[in-house]
Amino acid sequence: MFAPRTTPWPLVALFTAGYLPPYLLPTTVGRLDTSLPLSTTQAGAAGSALLLSSATAGFLLASRVQRFGARALARFGLALAFLGYGAAALTTAVPAVVAGAVVGGFGSGTAMTVAAARIAAERDPHRASTAGLLSVSALAGAVYLTVPHLGRAHGLPLAAIALTALAVWPLTGRLPGGTVGSPAAHGAAGHEGADDAGAPLPHRRSGLVLAVTVLCWSLAQNSLWGVSGRIGLTQAGLGDAALGAVFAVALGAGLVGVLAAGALGPRLGRAMPVGAGTVLIAGCIAVSASATTPAAFATGEIAWNTVYPVVLSYLIGLAASLDPRGRWAVLVGSASSLGTAAGPLTGSALSAQAGYPVMGLVLGVGLLLVAAPMTAVALHTGGRPLLPGAIRRRGGTPAALVAAATGTPSGAVPEVGAVEQPVVEIDVEAPAVAVRGAYDTAGPRQAAATPGSGTG
């Protein structure tokens, strides 16, 4: 018997709570800039500190989800997010706001770590991650439509994140507790309850290349995202309400992109969506950063936000396929958070030194440079089955491929390197030579003739 798989809806909720802070980054940083005695660069640094704390949680907890238990770790992260963001929303003292944001960021990162580790163990991680992106895009769009009508207080987007963490808390009761391992860890090799760190990381070279390139990819995305609000207000001439509407429509377009990614699934593979999508994103960033009219700004933002979640969903699925125990999914996600964390400060510094159009060109060129190695990883790992590894058999087909063909549950296949099945040679007697009398020519038989008997 295999351990039942956890329903993905608690994971989708955790994913939403963990990813919401980056999605609300423009309004969070913009309100810190306008509502508190902070300069543009200082507000960007505060946003970077929040996201850096989130990335730190992923790096620290990547191999400890099983040890602490998904339920306990998720509740711990949600509690930190509620308390940290809630405290930052209720005070106007800059040190307290920054400290609360950092504590909340660690909580969001913890929730994201649990979600990524568990999603990687699902039968279809791409579908689960797509549902998460759909949820967070819809929620962020609703926040962008609502918050401008509630005032200019810095705490409104922070309060939205805190309340999301509180709303997700009841769903954690459906997550496994104690030291229950991921479904992928329960198989013939007998890894029940073992710590993730007990087995080496598979596909280390591909995982490392993916982590580094995703870091740069996220850095470019969020360098623009962190200053998009200021581009719209100061360069494109939008008002606060109109800017919020543009962001809401852009995130709504992101919903369409996520739905398209979910519908396509693996039909196009991963290489084309990752490579071609990144090239399109580079062009959208250049358009958005150089926009001087509301129409041009809206076009760049909407096109960008349509393609971005599509590529992101395939990157998450690619990372999940490298290790079904979820460690590469968490590490690549944390690398993405690290790039996201550096984004606001990088965008603020680049735009202050060279202006928004030049910043967009620099970011676009950087994306073109990382598109090639990301696509190479997708091509290199595209033929591997999305199963928990393959048993190596000398001169035969990997057992994971056999499992995929026969419908064997994925948890029954141990991880690569965990088991080396011995080859047992079985002597088989040579088949007997056919006897001529056992066959006859074709033709009608006499009624009394028995099958196989000759007629003469």
Side-chain angles (χ1 to χ4, degrees), residues 162-194:
L163 292 176
T164 300
L166 182 63
V168 170
W169 175 279
L171 298 178
T172 58
R174 303 176 69 179
L175 295 174
T179 56
V180 178
S182 65
H186 295 280
H191 293 301
E192 291 85 344

Side-chain angles (χ1 to χ4, degrees), residues 8-396:
W9 293 114
L11 304 182
V12 171
L14 276 179
F15 188 101
T16 302
Y19 256 97
L20 188 58
Y23 268 69
L24 296 182
L25 190 64
T27 187
T28 301
V29 172
R31 285 170 178 263
L32 291 177
D33 182 12
T34 58
S35 302
L36 296 176
L38 291 172
S39 66
T40 298
T41 303
Q42 289 172 335
S48 293
L50 184 160
L51 298 174
L52 180 60
S53 179
S54 180
T56 301
F59 285 119
L60 291 178
L61 301 173
S63 63
R64 294 174 172 84
V65 174
Q66 288 181 332
R67 179 187 302 173
F68 296 129
R71 185 190 308 154
L73 203 56
R75 287 178 172 176
F76 171 73
L78 293 174
L80 284 183
F82 174 72
L83 295 174
Y85 291 125
L90 294 175
T91 183
T92 57
V94 172
V97 170
V98 174
V102 169
V103 171
F106 193 90
S108 298
T110 301
M112 191 63 241
T113 297
V114 176
R118 299 297 303 177
I119 284 175
E122 290 292 315
R123 293 184 184 275
D124 190 351
H126 181 265
R127 181 179 180 181
S129 61
T130 297
L133 289 171
L134 190 66
S135 175
V136 71
S137 296
L139 180 57
V143 172
Y144 276 115
L145 284 176
T146 305
V147 163
H149 301 287
L150 300 179
R152 289 294 304 167
H154 79 282
L156 290 174
L158 296 171
I161 302 172
L163 292 176
T164 300
L166 182 63
V168 170
W169 175 279
L171 298 178
T172 58
R174 303 176 69 179
L175 295 174
T179 56
V180 178
S182 65
H186 295 280
H191 293 301
E192 291 85 344
D195 190 359
D196 286 333
L201 276 171
H203 314 314
R204 293 189 178 185
R205 181 178 300 175
S206 296
L208 183 59
V209 171
L210 184 63
V212 172
T213 53
V214 165
L215 187 155
C216 298
W217 187 84
S218 295
L219 173 65
Q221 311 286 331
N222 288 278
S223 292
L224 177 64
W225 189 237
V227 298
S228 287
R230 294 198 293 276
I231 294 175
L233 292 172
T234 62
Q235 183 172 281
L238 289 166
D240 191 53
L243 181 64
V246 168
F247 285 150
V249 172
L251 291 174
L255 296 179
V256 177
V258 171
L259 289 174
L264 286 174
R267 291 183 181 87
L268 299 178
R270 295 194 186 97
M272 191 177 78
V274 168
T278 299
V279 173
L280 288 176
I281 289 172
C284 293
I285 286 179
V287 170
S288 184
S290 60
T292 56
T293 63
F297 178 77
T299 300
E301 291 288 321
I302 292 171
W304 172 35
N305 281 277
T306 302
V307 181
Y308 165 79
V310 176
V311 180
L312 180 60
S313 68
Y314 281 96
L315 289 174
I316 293 173
L318 177 58
S321 72
L322 296 179
D323 177 24
R325 296 188 180 211
R327 290 167 293 178
W328 273 125
V330 174
L331 292 173
V332 171
S334 299
S336 175
S337 297
L338 192 61
T340 302
L345 185 58
T346 302
S348 298
L350 277 175
S351 60
Q353 293 294 324
Y356 296 123
V358 175
M359 178 200 72
L361 290 176
V362 171
L363 297 178
V365 171
L367 282 174
L368 294 178
L369 292 177
V370 302
M374 289 169 63
T375 305
V377 172
L379 287 172
H380 180 64
T381 60
R384 294 191 179 115
L386 301 184
L387 295 171
I391 305 172
R392 297 178 182 177
R393 290 166 41 180
R394 302 182 187 93

